[in-house]
Amino acid sequence: MRSPAAIGGLVGLVVLALTACQSAQDLVRGRMTAEPDALDQLALERTLEGRGALLFAFGDFGGLDTDAMETVAVPWRLTSAALVLAHAPQDVSPASLNRIMARYGFLHPAEIANWPADAAPPPSVGTLGVTLGVGGRSLPPVELQIGNIGCAACHAAPVYDGEGRPQPDRIWLGAPNPSLDLEAYTGDLFAALQAGLEQPDALIAATRRLHPDMSEREVRTLRDFVLPRVRARMARIDPAAGPLPFSNGLPGATNGVAALKLQHGLLADDPDARARETGFTSIPHLADRNWRSALLWDGAYAPPGQARFRPMTRDDLTDDHRDALAAITAYFTVPSMGVSGRQAHASIPDVQATWRFVETVRPQPFPGRIDAARAARGQAVYARSCASCHGTYQESADGPRLSGFPNWAGDVGTDPVRAQVMDRTLVDQVNASPLRRSISAARTGVYAAPPLTGLWQSAPYLHNGSAPSLAALLGLEPRPARFRVGGHALDLERVGVAYPEGYQPYSEPAWVDTGQRGLGAGGHDAEFADLSREQRLDLLEYLKRL
């Protein structure tokens, strides 16, 4: 589950005051829920790691309901048909939808390469990271398939071959998705719905063709209830301003703080929000995240009553520590999936089960060549120049493994915007949420140094993804003012984003402009100032092994 990232949603495109749940309160306000289609085998899975993997890849954590549809969740069959009708009207088919979703970095794997060995095979799904479920009731007779964003949308990446070429049909759970572009997805979905509303009969017909298994009850629900409410809500959105009061980011980087502020109503009628709320963060690798004592790039969330930044050893990796981090992670579903604080609290047991898998995540072994002699010298450089912030690694039969982590936090001169946008008003909202017994929020104003496990899989670098390669980060080459990201290959020598001659990106690239607010590429250079070029090359070679 992504710690610093969120989609933010489509700002209330759909609010269905037409269905009911079990409680009297839910009956009055018309709440409807659905269960994820892909979790039918959850009750049959006997291994804890397998249950966690199922929830991580396919769970909804309470995000398939009409509450979430106010900001993030969507009537999937209708919105997916709108996308296809807008981009490929001559080919309304599931294959066409998959190609369109791939533009935004969504993956459609045939294989999950690091699925737990002792677990049952994973279910077959269409778009990984889009969780689907059908809800309904008999009075009135309504039915609707709800779609929402899941953990694997951000935290699953293609496997890379020995030349650094991605294989989007084979994915690695827990690695950051370097191509997921929620800003482009949200904008295109908004535009597609606008166009679809101008030809509602054609939109319904396309929905039928794309989803032939859709029931007549859902067709009536879409025509009689959903479309009128979408039309009314869209009429209140300024097309020039777009569906969100902030940018969702760019491929591989998201804007979780702004999304959380949106959920708490802190961006309403704020004309300056888009210019100010640019706290972009790169999606992190989840390997060894259980060594953290506080979560998010600035360590804003910590277990109550514990030191926010405290050194960790293997003895500290207890079940209680894991469950405490999981309880905090449950709150990430508020900005990323649009759930309520109440629902986030209710999902803590499922998130704790998910962490049973997360704590086992290892990076894909580096697929390229490593110069063993240079890497051995780089190990000594790392110990002198990096370990005090990023942790101590010891050799094992499986390569370097983290053996101690300082949970250091401070200022290394990097772009300050993300640390600044976590303001006291938002902190107070978090600390007053239903998860207040599980989470202590603070405005730290600094950044927490992460573990470097899986670093080679994590390009581009720094907290905001503003350095395209480790070579650029280490000062072996200039940090460019602009570079492309998304659907890229990896340069296994420089360890970073690459578009080799003749290469066809599997998703739509976008430009990173490091002159924009929140995307500055400066800082974290003094740490390498006393290293020679050869020492930096040695360090780079060692970092490939982590």
Side-chain angles (χ1 to χ4, degrees):
M1 188 168 300
R2 60 178 183 249
S3 48
I7 183 172
L10 292 174
V11 189
L13 289 183
V14 184
V15 180
L16 298 178
L18 56 95
T19 55
C21 195
Q22 298 173 349
S23 72
Q25 179 184 4
D26 286 343
L27 178 64
V28 170
R29 64 189 181 91
R31 179 171 177 264
M32 179 177 70
T33 63
E35 295 296 324
D37 297 337
L39 289 189
D40 291 342
Q41 71 184 59
L42 183 63
L44 303 177
E45 179 56 62
R46 296 183 178 181
T47 70
L48 293 175
E49 186 180 340
R51 288 180 59 83
L54 278 168
L55 288 165
F56 181 88
F58 309 110
D60 72 304
F61 303 98
L64 296 183
D65 66 12
T66 47
D67 288 351
M69 291 179 77
E70 295 182 20
T71 50
V72 177
V74 295
W76 176 249
R77 289 187 171 117
L78 184 75
T79 53
S80 59
L83 276 173
V84 174
L85 198 61
H87 293 282
Q90 304 306 316
D91 182 14
V92 179
S93 67
S96 181
L97 175 61
N98 287 352
R99 287 192 295 270
I100 292 167
M101 294 298 288
R103 295 181 186 180
Y104 313 115
F106 287 99
L107 299 167
H108 303 87
E111 177 188 354
I112 299 178
N114 64 330
W115 191 255
D118 295 334
S124 176
V125 297
T127 301
L128 186 69
V130 176
T131 306
L132 303 175
V134 176
R137 60 167 292 182
S138 57
L139 291 174
V142 294
E143 184 173 289
L144 190 66
Q145 185 182 58
I146 301 172
N148 206 338
I149 297 297
C151 303
C154 286
H155 294 294
V159 168
Y160 291 89
D161 67 16
E163 295 182 348
R165 303 296 178 103
Q167 304 174 49
D169 61 334
R170 299 183 66 232
I171 64 99
W172 198 272
L173 287 179
N177 186 339
S179 302
L180 185 67
D181 191 345
L182 296 176
E183 175 70 2
Y185 170 65
T186 301
D188 282 2
L189 190 54
F190 176 70
L193 283 171
Q194 281 184 309
L197 289 175
E198 296 177 0
Q199 45 180 347
D201 291 339
L203 178 57
I204 291 294
T207 307
R208 285 179 179 270
R209 290 200 303 275
L210 185 62
H211 302 286
D213 58 334
M214 180 174 60
S215 70
E216 286 301 315
R217 176 176 288 189
E218 182 163 3
V219 173
R220 291 192 296 271
T221 301
L222 293 175
R223 181 184 290 118
D224 298 340
F225 291 103
V226 176
L227 279 175
R229 284 160 176 80
V230 172
R231 184 176 289 107
R233 185 59 61 93
M234 298 265 296
R236 298 197 293 271
I237 299 175
D238 180 0
L244 289 170
F246 61 90
S247 170
N248 254 318
L250 60 160
T254 55
N255 194 350
V257 173
L260 186 58
K261 288 181 178 179
L262 176 71
Q263 295 294 337
H264 283 292
L266 301 178
L267 301 182
D269 302 317
D270 185 346
D272 300 322
R274 180 163 287 272
R276 184 187 66 250
E277 299 296 335
T278 56
F280 306 120
T281 51
S282 182
I283 300 169
H285 204 299
L286 297 187
D288 283 339
R289 291 286 148 164
N290 55 327
W291 288 81
R292 294 283 300 269
S293 61
L295 298 181
L296 299 187
W297 280 100
D298 55 349
Y301 297 164
Q306 297 184 19
R308 188 167 301 275
F309 302 114
R310 58 188 176 91
M312 297 279 291
T313 68
R314 289 195 182 278
D315 291 340
D316 297 308
L317 302 181
T318 63
D319 290 349
D320 287 343
H321 173 70
R322 178 198 63 225
D323 289 346
L325 294 185
I328 292 173
T329 306
Y331 193 71
F332 298 168
T333 62
V334 176
S336 64
M337 301 176 189
V339 308
S340 66
R342 181 186 66 171
Q343 181 58 56
H345 184 270
S347 72
I348 286 177
D350 277 351
V351 181
Q352 289 176 333
T354 301
W355 268 78
R356 295 279 188 164
F357 167 71
V358 171
E359 68 182 353
T360 70
V361 167
R362 303 302 306 162
Q364 177 193 343
F366 185 72
R369 175 184 173 276
I370 296 177
D371 184 321
R374 190 178 280 280
R377 295 193 298 270
Q379 183 177 15
V381 176
Y382 176 89
R384 292 195 308 270
S385 301
C386 310
S388 61
C389 293
H390 292 289
T392 300
Y393 286 82
Q394 291 184 346
E395 288 298 321
S396 74
D398 298 319
R401 297 297 294 263
L402 200 60
S403 60
F405 189 66
N407 278 296
W408 181 91
D411 182 2
V412 292
T414 50
D415 190 299
V417 171
R418 167 56 187 82
Q420 294 169 348
V421 295
M422 177 63 80
D423 56 42
R424 297 191 185 281
T425 301
L426 180 58
V427 164
D428 290 344
Q429 292 275 348
V430 176
N431 286 332
S433 78
L435 273 79
R436 57 187 174 273
R437 293 185 178 85
S438 302
I439 186 171
S440 171
R443 188 176 192 270
T444 69
V446 295
Y447 294 117
L452 299 187
T453 310
L455 189 64
W456 76 266
Q457 273 186 296
S458 305
Y461 298 101
L462 294 179
H463 76 272
N464 56 2
S466 60
S469 67
L470 285 182
L473 180 66
L474 296 174
L476 289 164
E477 61 189 36
R479 297 181 189 178
R482 297 179 78 239
F483 61 92
R484 287 194 302 166
V485 66
H488 50 266
L490 287 179
D491 184 320
L492 298 180
E493 292 299 318
R494 297 165 55 252
V495 189
V497 175
Y499 294 93
E501 185 177 354
Y503 173 74
Q504 294 297 318
Y506 65 90
S507 69
E508 191 71 28
W511 285 96
V512 179
D513 182 350
T514 63
Q516 290 185 358
R517 174 178 163 82
L519 291 174
H524 205 302
D525 48 4
E527 291 74 14
F528 314 122
D530 62 345
L531 299 182
S532 68
R533 180 174 180 81
E534 285 300 308
Q535 287 175 318
R536 298 181 196 204
L537 288 169
D538 293 343
L539 176 59
L540 175 59
E541 205 70 8
Y542 175 69
L543 294 175
K544 296 176 183 179
R545 300 186 61 223
L546 299 186

